Amino acid sequence: MAEHQDHSEDHGQAHYVKIWAILLVLLIISVMGPIVAPHIAAGFLKAWMITLMTAFGIAVVKAYLVAANFMHLNIEKKYISYLLATMLTLMLLFFSGVAPDVMKHQGQNWENIAAKSEIERGLEEEAARAHGEHGEHGGEHDDAAH
Amino acid sequence: MSTTRPIATTRSATGIPTGKLAVWWVIASEIVIFGGLLASYVMHRLGHPEWAEYASHTNIWFGGTNTFVLLTSSLFAVLAHYAAEHGDGKRAAKWLLGTCGGGFVFICVKAVEWTGEIHHGYTITANGFWQFYYTAAGLHGLHVIAGCIIMLIIANEARKGKELHRVELIGIYWHFVDIVWIFLFPLLYIAK
């Protein structure tokens, strides 16, 4: 009986360790994604698409694995899932309502001059830095080790 | 002396223990806090092409190391819950201390990382990207510290075999903190 209990305990803990191992494999894929993406990009499959999938697609899978297996959302009462889904829906509502004003910098009757000048200033600084680095270091990036 | 328990701890319309329900509601409100912050970051990041260059200065290895640390500490937290469920308070306390150790390592890595970034001039006032970076990661770091303090209190009780149900409650909170980092990691370290 005790032996049976020990066996079931090992099985329960082994499940959590297995989920953790899967999470680590997914972490490695997400870190390697931007490094290997330029090498495997071909045709319509662009490097940024691969990075997007390995970064955010995997983040969603990792979050699901933690929520379902570690937080036990898969065996929790449905009330909790509905509660969390409602909050996420509110976030989507917030995003869809506010994003057009933030992501666009002009409309029919308005213009976000501050945002436009900030973008211009940032891009000019970047271009100047890139130009300076090409001149001083022959293309080496001074922050490569950072 | 009255031995009756407050109504709030015995009444349950949902069938979920009151303490656990409270933790889930805390998490629901945290989704709005972190969700609002991350949603704002995403819309600014998409609307500001110059942020790609700013983001290229974050170090993916620091972020990756901290993701590994938090995922491992989450494993310790769920093993603590498992031990508590089997009535083994001392073992639960040990796993909780391991989880706290993960939180401590996370904060230490953050301290080293931030010191380097500030030294390079990437401070909270540098530009919009770094403002979001320090606010989001800082708020998350405060949650890690708060979680560790609560966990130490619960571990002390669990060690004596008391209030073992609380081990699960702090575990749920800790896993949520882990999930927030799972999304912060690609947003701040991978998308460049």
Side-chain angles (χ1 to χ4, degrees):
Chain A
M1 179 74 180
E3 197 177 311
H4 175 74
Q5 196 182 346
D6 284 349
H7 180 73
S8 73
E9 280 185 23
D10 286 346
H11 181 75
Q13 293 187 61
H15 169 71
Y16 296 129
V17 175
K18 192 178 90 180
I19 297 296
W20 172 75
I22 295 169
L23 288 167
L24 290 194
V25 171
L26 292 173
L27 168 64
I28 291 166
I29 295 171
S30 60
V31 170
M32 296 307 289
I35 298 166
V36 299
H39 304 289
I40 58 173
F44 74 94
L45 193 63
K46 305 278 188 261
W48 65 266
M49 291 179 189
I50 297 167
T51 304
L52 213 61
M53 280 189 285
T54 55
F56 297 103
I58 282 180
V60 171
V61 176
K62 278 198 286 192
Y64 171 78
L65 285 174
V66 171
N69 296 283
F70 288 177
M71 296 170 98
H72 301 110
L73 209 54
N74 54 352
I75 53 168
E76 189 57 88
K77 287 191 181 298
K78 287 286 171 218
Y79 173 90
I80 301 299
S81 297
Y82 296 148
L83 171 67
L84 301 183
T86 305
M87 296 302 159
L88 290 171
T89 309
L90 286 173
M91 283 302 94
L92 276 179
L93 190 67
F94 163 70
F95 186 89
S96 56
V98 179
D101 269 2
V102 178
M103 289 166 63
K104 291 176 77 71
H105 303 303
Q106 65 180 51
Q108 282 183 330
N109 300 308
W110 61 277
E111 186 180 8
N112 189 343
I113 298 165
K116 277 185 170 179
S117 62
E118 181 59 20
I119 291 169
E120 203 174 318
R121 190 185 63 81
L123 292 176
E124 274 173 10
E125 269 182 14
E126 187 188 335
R129 194 178 297 116
H131 183 73
E133 280 166 13
H134 278 289
E136 289 172 24
H137 308 293
E140 271 185 38
H141 199 287
D142 66 348
D143 263 321
H146 173 63
Chain B
M1 192 179 75
S2 172
T3 53
T4 54
R5 305 188 75 183
I7 291 170
T9 56
T10 52
R11 187 181 61 189
S12 175
T14 57
I16 302 166
T18 311
K20 198 195 226 185
L21 184 63
V23 171
W24 280 116
W25 270 100
V26 166
I27 288 170
S29 61
E30 295 276 9
I31 287 176
V32 183
I33 295 168
F34 279 106
L37 192 60
L38 296 190
S40 302
Y41 171 77
V42 169
M43 56 183 92
H44 278 86
R45 178 78 170 77
L46 294 173
H48 286 261
E50 81 279 15
W51 281 26
E53 203 275 331
Y54 304 146
S56 71
H57 298 290
T58 59
N59 190 316
I60 193 170
W61 300 109
F62 277 127
T65 304
N66 264 347
T67 310
F68 168 75
V69 168
L70 273 195
L71 289 175
T72 306
S73 71
S74 255
L75 171 69
F76 292 168
V78 79
L79 290 176
H81 172 207
Y82 190 85
E85 224 173 33
H86 288 79
D88 193 343
K90 284 190 175 167
R91 204 169 175 191
K94 278 182 188 167
W95 284 122
L96 282 184
L97 288 179
T99 312
C100 261
F104 180 73
V105 171
F106 180 90
I107 294 297
C108 287
V109 171
K110 267 266 151 270
V112 172
E113 181 190 13
W114 281 18
T115 303
E117 281 159 354
I118 292 167
H119 180 72
H120 279 82
Y122 306 128
T123 61
I124 195 166
T125 54
N127 53 56
F129 170 79
W130 291 104
Q131 283 172 4
F132 267 110
Y133 173 84
Y134 285 110
T135 305
L139 187 63
H140 178 265
L142 284 177
H143 279 75
V144 170
I145 293 167
C148 282
I149 292 168
I150 298 165
M151 219 175 296
L152 287 174
I153 295 165
I154 292 174
N156 188 44
E157 292 291 300
R159 190 172 53 84
K160 300 172 199 161
K162 291 179 188 170
E163 309 285 2
L164 289 182
H165 68 285
R166 289 182 182 169
V167 175
E168 181 187 11
L169 307 189
I170 189 63
I172 292 172
Y173 169 85
W174 193 259
H175 300 313
F176 173 75
V177 171
D178 187 15
I179 288 176
V180 170
W181 184 258
I182 283 172
F183 286 104
L184 278 177
F185 175 55
L187 282 171
L188 300 177
Y189 295 90
I190 299 180
K192 296 185 173 180

